[in-house]
Amino acid sequence: MRSIPVWGFLSLILFSILSITPAAAATVTISPDTVSSGGQVTVAISGLSNGQTFALNIDGTYAITPGSYPADSMTTIFATNSFSMPFSLTSGSVSASSRGTTYSEFSIKPTGGKTYTIGATDSDDGSTDGYITLSEAQSVSAGTYDWIRMTGAIDPSVSRLTTQVNLFGTVQGTTPNPTINFNIGGLSDGLVQVVVVIDGSPVASRTITVGNGVPVATTTTTAAPTATETTTTTTTTTTTTTTTTTGTGTTTGTTTAATTTATTAVQYSPTSGKITSVPTAAFSSADRKVRLTGQGIESATVMMVGSGTVPENWLMVSKAYAVLPDTLTFSPAATLSFDTSSYSSDYAFFIARKANNEWSAVPCNAGDSSIYAEIGNAGTYALMAYRPESTITSAAPTAAGDQPIITTPTPLVKSTEKPKVASIAGGTVAATKTASSGSSGLPLPVELPVIAGAVALGAVLFGVMRKE
């Protein structure tokens, strides 16, 4: 049997090394821009792989006439009918929320299967802020669903109603280029924003006009009053009578004194003028764990986007959440808060932001059962805590081959009855590069050692070929 020449074997190895190319990032196209009620929306995906985390978020905003819906009747406020799901989402969650209803139900009906329904009132979570949240930890199977919808009793006092539906999990059973289709139902006129996040990175977003859309709100601002100084002069006359008794008799005299007082007053014209304040808006994630509040924010989305890898001495306490669109900025700064009521009180919490595949801590404070931070930009955020020292090991073994404990200082914790906040020097922790779970959404460069190895192998191959 003839043996393979050495140079041929080396050529095969060299070809294999140089053939290693980065996996293409997944791309998503959402269409169309405008539909009538009942129209179809298509989410076309390319380059999706099993094992990646996937989140589909659908926000709806609807303008309604106060009192136009009976307070005691249920109305379908939002629905995705004939929902086609080409792959499964495992180990995930299904969440929905509404604002502007006194009672809401969220239901899912697989084609040919039974309807699954959960419901809640505005006060079920102990608040009456108008948000109703429905969330379940469960997987979403591939297949067709007759509907994924929200029905509710619309509050007769509201003029605007919002909904949010979020599907999240790990992709299983996908083809490289799957397509999600659904028909929009529910209230006939509104705006629907569809957002897709893969491996924690926003990939696509589109705002779709349904029917006549939502009327643009007009704001009337009264001019600020003009201040004018007015000086008023007041003269006060005082008369004093003096009686003097001497040896020759009694003398009576009168003294008159005038006192002038100048008073300066500030008057405003017009007197009815006032400065219109900028309204504060609030947006919550569908599972109600994260809340964004700020002035002058017309539209924003807060959605769960997964977990991911963090620095070895950190614990990701919550899931990661994206504030979208990612081009959004806040001036003045907006407040992002994480609910800590369901987490251990032993944690020393802090909030971190992910940018360019790096996590970095942001200055934060403790509220009542919450940790909050002032943020100036949209992005991906998560609630973190420091990992106990005993679980952190050094990469370099000792002479005996054991993995020693790193003796890093224990993070300081503020003494407070509120949730503990990790004390961070200067308010920040140095950014720490991390490896993403699954695809980061960015092409990975070929590592330098691989290139160096290919070059060295090429030199050896050239020498062997010359000898032969």
Side-chain angles (χ1 to χ4, degrees):
M1 183 175 65
R2 184 179 178 183
S3 62
I4 300 176
V6 174
W7 64 266
F9 179 72
L10 294 176
S11 296
L12 180 61
I13 296 177
L14 179 61
F15 177 78
S16 299
I17 293 175
L18 297 179
S19 300
I20 299 175
T21 57
T27 59
V28 176
T29 302
I30 304 170
S31 61
D33 293 323
T34 304
V35 296
S36 58
S37 181
Q40 187 180 78
V41 173
T42 298
V43 181
I45 308 167
S46 176
L48 187 67
S49 301
N50 291 322
Q52 292 185 286
T53 59
F54 182 92
L56 174 67
N57 196 84
I58 307 174
D59 283 346
T61 302
Y62 305 91
I64 57 178
T65 302
S68 57
Y69 293 89
D72 56 351
S73 66
M74 296 291 286
T75 301
T76 299
I77 53 181
F78 174 77
T80 56
N81 299 318
S82 301
F83 189 94
S84 176
M85 190 67 180
F87 50 85
S88 297
L89 295 176
T90 62
S91 303
S93 64
V94 177
S95 303
S97 68
S98 65
R99 189 175 191 182
T101 59
T102 56
Y103 176 82
S104 286
E105 287 184 349
F106 178 54
S107 61
I108 300 176
K109 185 183 183 303
T111 300
K114 296 181 179 180
T115 302
Y116 174 75
T117 302
I118 53 176
T121 66
D122 183 23
S123 58
D124 278 355
D125 61 355
S127 68
T128 55
D129 58 0
Y131 269 107
I132 296 178
T133 300
L134 307 162
S135 183
E136 292 287 334
Q138 64 177 40
S139 299
V140 178
S141 300
T144 302
Y145 296 79
D146 289 344
W147 68 71
I148 299 176
R149 71 185 181 191
M150 292 195 72
T151 56
I154 298 176
D155 187 333
S157 66
V158 302
S159 59
R160 182 161 297 200
L161 187 147
T162 61
T163 63
Q164 184 182 77
V165 173
N166 181 272
L167 307 179
F168 166 78
T170 301
V171 176
Q172 292 296 334
T174 186
T175 59
N177 304 307
T179 299
I180 298 173
N181 292 310
F182 57 87
N183 298 326
I184 291 183
L187 299 179
S188 58
D189 300 309
L191 295 175
V192 171
Q193 184 182 47
V194 181
V195 180
V196 172
V197 176
I198 299 175
D199 283 337
S201 298
V203 177
S205 174
R206 184 173 295 277
T207 299
I208 301 169
T209 301
V210 181
N212 296 319
V214 175
V216 178
T218 56
T219 303
T220 302
T221 303
T222 305
T226 302
T228 304
E229 290 189 355
T230 302
T231 302
T232 303
T233 303
T234 303
T235 302
T236 303
T237 302
T238 303
T239 302
T240 304
T241 302
T242 304
T243 302
T244 305
T245 303
T246 64
T248 57
T250 301
T251 302
T252 302
T254 301
T255 302
T256 301
T259 303
T260 302
T261 304
T263 304
T264 301
V266 179
Q267 297 182 342
Y268 292 88
S269 177
T271 56
S272 60
K274 63 179 181 179
I275 301 174
T276 304
S277 61
V278 179
T280 298
F283 306 87
S284 291
S285 60
D287 62 0
R288 198 60 179 279
K289 295 292 186 182
V290 183
R291 186 178 178 89
L292 175 75
T293 56
Q295 293 183 341
I297 307 174
E298 295 184 1
S299 178
T301 297
V302 182
M303 62 178 289
M304 182 192 300
V305 296
S307 52
T309 305
V310 298
E312 63 173 350
N313 58 333
W314 291 9
L315 288 172
M316 181 176 280
V317 179
S318 72
K319 296 289 187 181
Y321 293 80
V323 177
L324 301 170
D326 52 6
T327 56
L328 196 61
T329 59
F330 309 109
S331 181
T335 301
L336 185 70
S337 61
F338 284 76
D339 180 9
T340 60
S341 59
S342 60
Y343 304 125
S344 170
S345 59
D346 295 332
Y347 284 132
F349 297 108
F350 61 93
I351 295 173
R353 181 175 188 265
K354 186 179 183 181
N356 299 322
N357 203 32
E358 298 180 9
W359 283 103
S360 58
V362 297
C364 50
N365 295 283
D368 294 327
S369 299
S370 68
I371 298 293
Y372 65 91
E374 303 299 320
I375 63 173
N377 301 86
T380 299
Y381 296 85
L383 184 64
M384 303 283 189
Y386 283 103
R387 186 183 297 275
E389 288 184 79
S390 58
T391 65
I392 306 173
T393 58
S394 170
T398 63
D402 297 326
Q403 294 288 97
I405 303 300
I406 292 180
T407 55
T408 53
T410 301
L412 300 176
V413 177
K414 295 179 180 179
S415 178
T416 172
E417 294 180 357
K418 297 177 179 180
K420 301 171 185 176
V421 180
S423 188
I424 303 170
T428 60
V429 167
T432 306
K433 292 187 177 181
T434 64
S436 293
S437 59
S439 170
S440 65
L442 298 173
L444 298 176
V446 178
E447 297 291 341
L448 278 177
V450 174
I451 297 175
V455 173
L457 185 58
V460 172
L461 173 61
F462 179 73
V464 171
M465 292 177 67
R466 288 192 61 182
K467 290 181 180 179
E468 293 189 358

